[in-house]
Amino acid sequence: MKQVTAPESSSEAEILALRVVAFIAQRDNVLHQLIVQTGMTPSTLRERTNDPEFLAGVVDFLLSNEQLLLEFCKFEKLAPARLLRIRQKLPGATIS
């Protein structure tokens, strides 16, 4: 995996979070799990892609599934620790 520094801004974190959304959307079974967990409809999910709080929730969803997290990180060629740092740039992050 290539080593990349944490994003400098929340907008860069949001861009990577959008890549998480796209990754999930390409996997019907995972998208279904997200819909079931959030109670949102597919159209509501599409409408909220510009909402930083929604993006944070999608990253949390990914972080809660180790296998999916590792698949995403392999696909994006980034270390899982970077995704944790990115999460800190989005709303609702815990201070660590």
Side-chain angles (χ1 to χ4, degrees):
M1 287 183 211
K2 65 182 173 184
Q3 296 298 316
V4 183
T5 59
E8 303 264 333
S9 69
S10 60
S11 65
E12 290 175 288
E14 288 174 20
I15 290 168
L16 189 56
L18 284 169
R19 295 198 324 239
V20 171
V21 172
F23 180 81
I24 289 171
Q26 294 172 4
R27 289 153 180 78
D28 289 337
N29 61 330
V30 178
L31 180 59
H32 179 73
Q33 290 173 358
L34 179 64
I35 289 169
V36 168
Q37 282 188 7
T38 63
M40 292 184 180
T41 64
S43 62
T44 303
L45 291 175
R46 282 189 295 276
E47 292 167 6
R48 299 228 19 227
T49 56
N50 64 345
D51 177 353
E53 290 180 5
F54 168 75
L55 294 175
V58 173
V59 172
D60 287 341
F61 173 80
L62 181 75
L63 290 170
S64 72
N65 182 323
E66 184 178 6
Q67 179 181 349
L68 188 61
L69 169 64
L70 294 176
E71 286 177 31
F72 176 77
C73 289
K74 181 177 179 181
F75 179 77
E76 288 289 329
K77 296 179 177 69
L78 60 89
R82 179 163 184 238
L83 201 56
L84 290 170
R85 290 190 305 270
I86 287 164
R87 177 60 185 96
Q88 294 298 313
K89 301 284 186 177
L90 297 168
T94 57
I95 305 299
S96 57

